Amino acid sequence: MKIAVNNIDAVIALIKKASTPAIAKEELINAYALSVIQAQAILDMRLQRLTGLEQEKIIHEYNELLIEIKRLEDILGSETLVSKIIRDEFIEIKEKYGDERKTKIIANLEEINIEDLIKKEEVLVTVTHKGYIKRMSINTYRAQRRGGMGVRGAEIEDDFYTDIFVVNTHAEILFFTSKGFVFTLKVYDIPEAGRTSKGKNIVNIFPISKEDSIRSIIALPDSKDWENKSILMATTKGLVKNTLLSAFKNIKYSGIKAIVLVGDDSVIGVKILDMSKDEDVLLFSSNRKIIRFSSKQCPTKGRVTMGPKGMYVGEQENVVGVEIVDAVSDTVELLSISEYGYGKRTNSSEYRRTGRGGKGILAGKESDKTGHIVKIMSVNDKDQLMIITDSGQVIRINVSSISLLSRNTYGVSLIKTRGKERVVSMEKFVDPDNTDIDGENKSELTIPDAGAGVKDHGEIDLKGNNEGTVLDSDLSEVMDLVKRGYSDAEEDIDSAAGTESDNDSKDSKENFEEED
C-alpha cells in the first residue's frame, strides 16, 4: 500500500491504460516488483484510502509492521529471550488462575482397580435346579420369630432352589463342567436381583458348549486360607484328580481345562480337600458299591492331567457320587436313591477304609424292584429332598422321615414309579423363606445340569431341550403345593398328580434288612 500511495498518480495512470484487470495486475507486478497478492490489494483499494488521513494510517501501519518483524526476529535468534517470555507467560497464568492444589502427588501411585470401588459385604447367593443364579442383599430375608409366616420368594414354576449360601462380594466362585472345564466369577459379577426375581441362567453367563453342562459350583475360601487346600475331581469312570487350589488362579473368561478326559468320561463331582487334615474320599458306583480311601492316596497333579484310578467300575456301571468325610469323627450320613425310587440313609462309619483303585464294598442289596443307584449325597435330619422322575413327577420329603439303615439293605420306598418310569435326579431343597441366614456358611454346593428336559444317565439339560421328554401336565400344580409348604407334602403331591395314596405301610417302608 505504501508503494501505491507514494506513486499514486503513476499507478492510477497505469490502471486506466490497461484494458482488463488482469493486464493491470501484470503491469503493476512488472513496474513495481510486487507480488501477486500486493498487486491485487492495490487493485482492490477503495478511493477513500487516497485521502491524506488514510495515507498517514497506511504509513503508520507499515512502520509498526517493521518494528514487529524486528522483535520476532530477535526472539527467534535468542534462547534467553525465548525462556524469559515463557517464564513471564507462566507467571501471568499463575496470577490469573492459580489456587490451592486439589490433588496430592504421592510416591507410589498404583493403578486403580474396579474391585477397590466395590464394597466388601456379605450377600446371599441362590441357585435353582434349572441353573438360575442371583445375588441378593443379606437383609432380603429378615429374621423372624419361630413359626412366622415368612415372605414371598421368587415365582419359579417347575423349578426350586437347590442351595442358598452367604459369601463376601469379593469372593470368587468356580464353576466346573461335566467336560472338565472350569469357569470363574466374582460374587459381585453375579447379577443382583430382587427377592421375587428368578435371576440369570448360568449358561447365559459363560460360553458353555451345547454338549457341556455345569456339574459343580465351589465358593473359594479367602486366599490366605489357600495353603494346604486342593480341588478333588471325580469322573464317571472312577478317576480321581487332586490339584492344588492355587492352580486355579487367574482363570480367563473363556474358561480353562481342569482335567483331561478320555472317551465318554465326564466329571461327576468336585470337592475341596484340606490336606492338613485326615480326610477320606468316598466314591459311589451305580452298581451299589462304595470305596473309601485316604485322601493322602491322591497325590497332587498339574491342572491339565488325567489323575489316577480311584475306583474300578465295569463297562455297564458309572461312579454316581463323591463325598469327603473326616476320618476322625466319621459322623456323616449318606443317602442313596435307586432308579425305581428306593432309598436309605446310612452312616459313613459303615464303610471301612480300603486302598484306592479297588472295586469297593457292597453298599446295599439290589433287585429288579430297586434297580441301579442313581445318586448318593451327604445329608442331615434338617434337609429336605426333591426327587424327580423322567416323566416329570416330583416329590418333596424330609430326610428325617427316611429310615437310618445298615449297609446291606434294600432301603425304603421314597417315590412310587409306574412301568418304565425311573428316577433321574435327587436334590436337596432349600427354602429361602425358612433358611437360617445366620447359620453355617456353606462353602460348597453341587447342582445338576439344570433345564427343562431330561437326558440319559440322570442328567438335567441346562439348555432346556425337551426332545423325547414329556413332562407331566400336573407338574405345575405339584410345584405349587411344594412352594406352599404343606406339612404332609408327599400325600398332597400324590393326590395332585393323580396317584393312588399308599395305604400299605408295609410296602412303602419295607427295608428287607438282612444280616451281612
Side-chain angles (χ1 to χ4, degrees):
M1 287 297 183
K2 187 174 183 299
I3 293 175
V5 171
N6 292 337
N7 302 278
I8 187 64
D9 293 333
V11 168
I12 291 175
L14 187 149
I15 294 173
K16 288 176 66 178
K17 291 180 180 179
S19 58
T20 63
I23 295 175
K25 181 191 299 184
E26 184 177 353
E27 291 182 354
L28 285 172
I29 294 173
N30 296 331
Y32 300 101
L34 301 175
S35 67
V36 175
I37 296 176
Q38 289 174 327
Q40 186 65 42
I42 292 173
L43 293 175
D44 294 339
M45 185 175 63
R46 301 173 64 182
L47 292 176
Q48 70 179 21
R49 301 296 301 274
L50 300 178
T51 62
L53 183 60
E54 289 294 326
Q55 292 182 32
E56 290 180 4
K57 286 183 179 180
I58 292 173
I59 295 173
H60 180 70
E61 289 176 1
Y62 174 74
N63 293 330
E64 285 184 344
L65 285 174
L66 292 178
I67 296 173
E68 180 66 14
I69 291 171
K70 177 75 168 53
R71 186 183 74 85
L72 295 177
E73 289 177 343
D74 291 341
I75 292 174
L76 294 175
S78 173
E79 292 185 4
T80 303
L81 191 57
V82 171
S83 299
K84 181 179 180 301
I85 293 174
I86 293 174
R87 182 176 180 275
D88 293 343
E89 288 179 351
F90 274 125
I91 292 174
E92 182 183 355
I93 292 173
K94 177 182 176 182
E95 292 175 352
K96 188 174 182 179
Y97 302 106
D99 55 11
E100 293 185 2
R101 178 177 289 277
K102 294 182 174 61
T103 59
K104 293 182 179 180
I105 299 177
I106 59 177
N108 296 321
L109 182 61
E110 298 179 357
E111 183 180 355
I112 297 177
N113 192 332
I114 188 64
E115 189 171 295
D116 298 332
L117 306 178
I118 298 174
K119 182 180 179 181
K120 290 186 177 181
E121 59 180 349
E122 300 297 307
V123 294
L124 290 177
V125 175
T126 63
V127 182
T128 75
H129 177 70
K130 288 190 174 181
Y132 285 92
I133 187 170
K134 67 177 178 180
R135 168 172 57 95
M136 297 181 291
S137 168
I138 199 169
N139 297 320
T140 300
Y141 295 96
R142 64 184 185 277
Q144 298 184 2
R145 293 179 179 273
R146 179 175 58 83
M149 294 293 292
V151 293
R152 179 175 294 277
E155 296 292 340
I156 45 177
E157 294 184 3
D158 64 21
D159 197 4
F160 54 89
Y161 291 104
T162 55
D163 226 309
I164 178 172
F165 58 103
V166 180
V167 67
N168 192 279
T169 50
H170 284 230
E172 191 172 1
I173 298 180
L174 298 182
F175 298 78
F176 291 86
T177 74
S178 59
K179 296 296 184 182
F181 286 91
V182 58
F183 299 87
T184 184
L185 190 68
K186 287 286 190 178
V187 171
Y188 58 72
D189 285 329
I190 296 175
E192 187 173 13
R195 189 177 66 243
T196 58
S197 173
K198 291 176 62 176
K200 190 173 184 179
N201 201 295
I202 296 174
V203 296
N204 295 325
I205 299 177
F206 301 117
I208 302 174
S209 65
K210 293 182 179 179
E211 298 77 19
D212 206 356
S213 53
I214 297 295
R215 180 64 70 184
S216 294
I217 302 175
I218 292 183
L220 294 180
D222 192 275
S223 57
K224 64 182 179 181
D225 298 326
W226 281 27
E227 187 177 1
N228 296 322
K229 293 289 197 306
S230 64
I231 296 288
L232 181 80
M233 288 167 276
T235 74
T236 56
K237 297 304 180 183
L239 300 183
V240 288
K241 177 170 171 287
N242 191 20
T243 304
L244 291 176
L245 193 55
S246 57
F248 296 94
K249 287 183 178 179
N250 303 322
I251 300 176
K252 54 187 178 181
Y253 170 75
S254 57
I256 59 175
K257 195 74 174 176
I259 183 175
V260 174
L261 300 172
V262 178
D264 59 350
D265 199 5
S266 63
V267 174
I268 191 63
V270 181
K271 302 291 179 180
I272 290 185
L273 275 181
D274 189 340
M275 295 184 294
S276 64
K277 296 181 179 179
D278 186 11
E279 294 182 324
D280 284 349
V281 179
L282 279 77
L283 297 177
F284 317 102
S285 78
S286 58
N287 203 27
R288 291 184 177 269
K289 288 186 179 180
I290 292 181
I291 189 170
R292 175 175 181 169
F293 54 89
S294 173
S295 62
K296 308 297 182 185
Q297 295 184 7
C298 299
T300 57
K301 291 183 172 291
R303 185 170 50 79
V304 190
T305 56
M306 287 185 61
K309 177 72 74 174
M311 182 180 192
Y312 177 83
V313 292
E315 293 183 359
Q316 301 301 321
E317 59 179 320
N318 291 314
V319 171
V320 296
V322 56
E323 289 292 341
I324 305 297
V325 298
D326 191 313
V328 178
S329 61
D330 202 12
T331 56
V332 175
E333 290 183 359
L334 304 173
L335 188 142
S336 64
I337 188 167
S338 68
E339 57 185 337
Y340 294 128
Y342 280 81
K344 67 175 180 179
R345 281 193 299 158
T346 308
N347 198 291
S348 60
S349 60
E350 293 263 348
Y351 307 99
R352 68 181 183 274
R353 178 188 282 185
T354 61
R356 176 179 57 79
K359 292 185 177 181
I361 61 175
L362 196 63
K365 294 186 175 182
E366 180 177 336
S367 69
D368 294 338
K369 189 173 184 178
T370 61
H372 293 299
I373 293 295
V374 173
K375 193 164 188 178
I376 298 181
M377 64 175 63
S378 60
V379 295
N380 60 57
D381 283 345
K382 296 182 180 179
D383 286 335
Q384 297 183 57
L385 299 175
M386 282 286 194
I387 303 173
I388 307 171
T389 71
D390 56 6
S391 66
Q393 293 293 326
V394 180
I395 189 171
R396 171 181 172 181
I397 59 176
N398 295 318
V399 169
S400 58
S401 67
I402 303 173
S403 303
L404 184 63
L405 303 174
S406 63
R407 174 174 60 86
N408 195 26
T409 56
Y410 287 92
V412 296
S413 177
L414 303 184
I415 183 174
K416 274 194 170 183
T417 59
R418 302 186 187 90
K420 295 182 179 180
E421 183 183 20
R422 297 184 180 186
V423 172
V424 294
S425 183
M426 173 179 66
E427 295 302 324
K428 293 180 184 178
F429 173 81
V430 178
D431 186 354
D433 300 340
N434 298 322
T435 300
D436 182 9
I437 301 304
D438 298 324
E440 181 182 0
N441 182 9
K442 297 182 181 180
S443 63
E444 178 178 346
L445 60 147
T446 302
I447 65 169
D449 310 333
V454 181
K455 288 185 177 179
D456 294 336
H457 311 299
E459 284 193 20
I460 308 301
D461 185 11
L462 268 169
K463 316 303 177 186
N465 298 324
N466 288 321
E467 296 180 4
T469 302
V470 180
L471 296 180
D472 195 295
S473 60
D474 294 319
L475 180 57
S476 60
E477 184 178 354
V478 172
M479 293 309 303
D480 182 64
L481 291 173
V482 170
K483 287 188 286 184
R484 282 189 282 166
Y486 280 10
S487 60
D488 191 4
E490 180 176 354
E491 181 179 349
D492 288 325
I493 291 172
D494 285 342
S495 175
T499 63
E500 298 180 359
S501 60
D502 185 8
N503 296 321
D504 188 354
S505 60
K506 180 179 180 180
D507 178 61
S508 64
K509 297 186 179 295
E510 67 176 336
N511 55 45
F512 305 105
E513 184 170 0
E514 297 179 8
E515 296 296 331
D516 290 347

